[in-house]
Amino acid sequence: STYVEMTLASVTANQFRGAKLITTDDTGEGYTYDIIGNTATDDPASGTIRLRLAQTLQVALDTTTDVSIQGSQYSDLEAGTSTDETVAGVSCSTTTSALPYAWIQTKGVVGVLQNGTVTLGDILVASASGGSAETQTAYTQPIVGYCMDPGDTTGHMVARIDLE
């Protein structure tokens, strides 16, 4: 089957489009499936939703199966303001919340807003300062890439990123 039904409240239609369903424990443990779409809560039955998967289930799931749904990292993006967020890419142009889309770069050489002093070759991590990157000082921050040409402390540097 490429369908999974589960009890889940307050879900809108296609809320999980582009997300991953990962079986994390018990029956069917260890598989990752791409979600094509989903129904809203109460469809097909009260309190349930139906997920449509891109791949066929490798093991039939049951009530003991634990799952995690990880949303698409490209859905509802916003400028980062925390070092605990997942980095999806670097903005390629100015955008506003009024636009329904934006272009981001996920791999290669790109200008990145620099926070603080950065040195050539430094590992770059997400900064809590408005969508910028800084030199890694702790192993808990998401890695963005590395510095190819440092800029000044409030300008842009040249970085190589690999966020795919």
Side-chain angles (χ1 to χ4, degrees):
S1 176
T2 57
Y3 292 93
V4 173
E5 289 184 19
M6 64 177 62
T7 302
L8 200 54
S10 303
V11 174
T12 58
N14 292 318
Q15 178 177 336
F16 299 124
R17 178 185 296 153
K20 306 274 186 192
L21 175 74
I22 302 161
T23 53
T24 60
D25 201 16
D26 299 317
T27 303
E29 176 180 357
Y31 290 96
T32 300
Y33 303 97
D34 297 306
I35 300 173
I36 294 173
N38 62 274
T39 61
T41 298
D42 299 329
D43 179 11
S46 180
T48 67
I49 66 166
R50 178 179 290 142
L51 298 173
R52 181 174 175 214
L53 307 176
Q55 300 83 15
T56 303
L57 286 172
Q58 297 301 300
V59 176
L61 308 181
D62 61 25
T63 58
T64 68
T65 306
D66 293 334
V67 300
S68 176
I69 296 176
Q70 292 300 306
S72 169
Q73 69 179 18
Y74 304 111
S75 179
D76 297 322
L77 289 178
E78 56 186 61
T81 57
S82 168
T83 58
D84 295 331
E85 296 170 344
T86 299
V87 179
V90 174
S91 175
C92 295
S93 63
T94 303
T95 187
T96 68
S97 59
L99 291 176
Y101 66 91
W103 296 104
I104 62 168
Q105 184 169 334
T106 60
K107 192 170 188 168
V109 177
V110 64
V112 176
L113 183 60
Q114 178 174 318
N115 183 37
T117 302
V118 175
T119 305
L120 178 68
D122 280 358
I123 296 172
L124 302 173
V125 295
S127 170
S129 180
S132 62
E134 63 190 18
T135 298
Q136 182 181 38
T137 57
Y139 295 107
T140 57
Q141 299 163 288
I143 293 175
V144 173
Y146 66 90
C147 178
M148 295 180 67
D149 187 11
D152 62 37
T153 58
T154 59
H156 281 68
M157 67 181 129
V158 179
R160 179 159 187 80
I161 61 173
D162 188 358
L163 301 171
E164 295 179 336

